[in-house]
Amino acid sequence: MIPCRNQADTLSLSEKEVLHRNILRILAEIGLQVEHDGLLSRFGDAGWPVDRPQQRVRFPIARVESFLDSLPKLDWSTRAPRLVVRGDTFSASFYVDPANGGIRDWTPELFERYFGFIRRLPGISSYYLMGCPWTVPSAHEPIHERLNAWRMGAAPAGSLHPFSASGAIWDLTQAYAEIKGVAPREVFAGVCYLISPLRFSAEECRQYCHWTDKGLWVDIGSMPTAGTSTPVTLAGHVAVAIAEQIALAILQQVVTGNTFLTLSPLLGATDMRTMMRPYGRPELPVANGMVAAMARKYGVGCFGHSGLTDAKTPSEEAAAQKCITALGTLLSGSDAFYSIGGLSMDELYSPVQALLDMEIVSALRRFEHDFEVSEESIGFEAISEAGPGGMLLSHEHTVGHFRGEYMEPELWQRTMLSAWRQQALKSDEDKARVRALEMLAEPAPDPVLPDEDYLRLRRMFTGE
């Protein structure tokens, strides 16, 4: 059995048609603002209508439908969604001390200690660093991002701002590629973002063109926000988000020749009371499900922004928000994301929360687990041998299957009340705090990038 094969299709056929029709209208009648003459020329050369005074590219409905038909197709009848579990940190964030719950500024030493901690946790899919967690000159931030990511075995986000850092980023990429014995394109990471609505701004265009002209790949992310940059309704929010994603896929085809589409907008809504952009609300997985339904219609992949929380402390709030957003997204058929240790969107990182998260991830993995349905797994002979009123606790069939069939919790309760009252540590948070302090006291794994290479690159590009 393929896990989660029969995912919930969030939208009816008629609802998909309404969304699709409006996505096409957005592309054809509103289009994408592209604030770069060179990119506008490329669109024009590829036959897309360009309005130069408005710096606008519009996408005729018939050509967009032809583009969608040309995409490589996924078979959604056999597709199994993935839970991508990531250990990460972001710039402008803080560390939550497990000893006292205090919020601390990052230092290079504290960062290495924390990253060494999460590298020892099992089952993490990837590691990621965006920016530099501690304060450095802005022109040095994309350099520190790459240096520290490579040192700790993480993927750099690929920050390209400010543009004045471009020369140093390229020299660093070449120097690191030489150390690894690979071509620079194999270690280069680059990303820029559309901050909606439907506008690829001059600075981001400049960054994108600088690197793609070198033959390097640059991701373009979109972060539409319901209630500010898109309609507040989920349907309007999703329509604009998918239209942007299609426009960006066409842009990548025009510039790089690659034809593909994965629907992966970073969806979010405006809290109308505080004006924050919360990550942990239940509407997020609903919107992700709508995107997944349209990905199913188009026969393409999708990836849902999920597994995040607005909570400021390890808590029931954090657990509920991370679990609801990740599970709801998985059950819609979309790949889902889960941030280990993250709190307050991307502002706080906690070793205690990381351990609590690993327990939640173990539970979520059961929705990916391939439960076998076969003559052997049903165990008719064992049922027959036990007979009516019999016990299978010590039967060989039970012994052979129980470890793989059921989650084995590390922090969640596994005792009845009488035994729990005898325990010194009463809650999962208590257990996680003690375990985090024990792990942080142990020697950290050696950095992935050896000290001599790291220090040579650091001195070369930061002067430190």
Side-chain angles (χ1 to χ4, degrees):
M1 183 186 82
I2 297 177
C4 296
R5 176 182 287 172
N6 298 314
Q7 310 97 353
D9 196 342
T10 308
L11 300 174
S12 68
L13 289 175
S14 62
E15 288 170 331
K16 290 180 188 179
E17 285 307 313
V18 171
L19 256 178
H20 177 59
R21 183 168 65 250
N22 280 276
I23 289 166
L24 294 177
R25 285 195 67 195
I26 290 168
L27 289 166
E29 298 176 30
I30 302 170
L32 178 69
Q33 187 168 333
V34 179
E35 299 176 358
H36 190 278
D37 287 342
L39 286 178
L40 290 172
S41 295
R42 293 193 187 192
F43 272 112
D45 292 344
W48 296 99
V50 172
D51 181 339
R52 283 192 174 272
Q54 287 194 323
Q55 295 186 306
R56 194 81 61 87
V57 181
R58 290 182 173 85
F59 305 88
I61 288 174
R63 281 204 65 184
V64 172
E65 291 191 314
S66 177
F67 171 77
L68 292 172
D69 288 342
S70 73
L71 295 168
K73 302 302 181 187
L74 289 179
D75 183 355
W76 272 74
S77 67
T78 59
R79 180 179 183 275
R82 300 175 303 124
L83 180 65
V84 177
V85 181
R86 193 174 75 187
D88 54 23
T89 60
F90 280 63
S91 61
S93 64
F94 301 91
Y95 176 76
V96 183
D97 194 327
N100 54 24
I103 296 175
R104 296 176 55 183
D105 291 329
W106 287 107
T107 64
E109 295 74 24
L110 191 56
F111 167 79
E112 289 197 15
R113 186 182 180 205
Y114 177 71
F115 237 89
F117 168 84
I118 60 173
R119 279 178 51 209
R120 295 170 58 195
L121 301 177
I124 295 182
S125 312
S126 62
Y127 303 92
Y128 179 85
L129 175 63
M130 174 174 275
C132 184
W134 55 93
T135 302
V136 296
S138 61
H140 286 185
E141 185 159 20
I143 305 302
H144 280 278
E145 175 192 292
R146 290 163 172 79
L147 282 172
N148 289 295
W150 294 332
R151 177 170 172 77
M152 300 311 297
S159 302
L160 300 174
H161 183 81
F163 189 78
S164 60
S166 298
I169 291 172
W170 181 233
D171 289 344
L172 177 64
T173 299
Q174 292 178 301
Y176 181 63
E178 184 178 347
I179 289 171
K180 300 294 289 184
V182 299
R185 67 177 178 275
E186 294 184 41
V187 297
F188 175 78
V191 64
C192 51
Y193 284 91
L194 251 70
I195 306 302
S196 304
L198 300 164
R199 176 183 173 225
F200 200 15
S201 70
E203 180 61 20
E204 280 67 39
C205 286
R206 183 186 185 197
Q207 295 167 10
Y208 175 79
C209 290
H210 175 81
W211 296 105
T212 55
D213 286 349
K214 292 180 179 291
L216 300 169
W217 180 262
V218 176
D219 289 317
I220 312 175
S222 61
M223 295 185 66
T225 303
T228 51
S229 64
T230 73
V232 73
T233 56
L234 292 184
H237 183 45
V238 167
V240 173
I242 293 177
E244 282 190 341
Q245 296 261 289
I246 293 172
L248 292 176
I250 293 171
L251 168 64
Q252 295 281 29
Q253 182 191 59
V254 165
V255 174
T256 71
N258 290 285
T259 301
F260 76 98
L261 174 64
T262 297
L263 296 181
S264 55
L266 303 182
L267 301 175
T270 306
D271 185 291
M272 292 300 176
R273 179 174 295 179
T274 65
M275 302 309 293
M276 72 175 283
R277 189 180 192 271
Y279 283 179
R281 306 297 166 84
E283 294 80 12
L284 177 61
V286 176
N288 285 341
M290 295 169 72
V291 173
M294 297 307 293
R296 187 191 305 257
K297 173 181 173 60
Y298 298 143
V300 299
C302 60
F303 187 90
H305 199 222
S306 60
L308 298 150
T309 180
D310 312 315
K312 309 306 185 243
T313 61
S315 60
E316 292 85 353
E317 176 189 3
Q321 290 180 351
K322 289 190 166 195
C323 189
I324 287 171
T325 57
L327 180 57
T329 300
L330 277 175
L331 292 179
S332 73
S334 174
D335 292 343
F337 164 77
Y338 197 106
S339 172
I340 292 296
L343 293 165
S344 188
M345 291 82 80
D346 303 314
E347 295 181 304
L348 297 171
Y349 290 89
S350 162
V352 174
Q353 185 62 47
L355 293 178
L356 295 171
D357 285 337
M358 293 308 299
E359 201 82 330
I360 297 171
V361 165
S362 293
L364 291 172
R365 291 287 192 206
R366 309 313 288 173
F367 291 85
E368 294 184 311
H369 185 63
D370 190 359
F371 291 99
E372 178 186 342
V373 178
S374 65
E375 297 292 341
E376 198 283 329
S377 69
I378 290 171
F380 176 83
E381 289 75 14
I383 300 168
S384 177
E385 289 174 20
M391 289 285 289
L392 284 93
L393 184 62
S394 60
H395 197 281
E396 287 184 4
H397 189 270
T398 303
V399 173
H401 285 276
F402 81 94
R403 290 188 185 279
E405 203 77 1
Y406 293 94
M407 173 191 175
E408 294 287 323
E410 297 291 333
L411 302 176
W412 291 357
Q413 293 298 329
R414 308 177 74 174
T415 62
M416 300 300 287
L417 177 62
S418 58
W420 174 79
R421 295 177 71 177
Q422 307 297 318
Q423 295 176 1
L425 301 174
K426 301 295 186 185
S427 71
D428 55 347
E429 186 180 344
D430 293 334
K431 296 175 185 176
R433 180 168 290 103
V434 170
R435 179 64 183 134
L437 290 169
E438 290 173 347
M439 290 180 66
L440 288 165
E442 297 170 1
D446 291 334
V448 174
L449 183 65
D451 283 346
E452 63 177 292
D453 292 328
Y454 168 73
L455 292 173
R456 177 164 63 88
L457 292 174
R458 183 185 172 103
R459 284 191 297 268
M460 189 183 305
F461 294 99
T462 69
E464 300 171 3

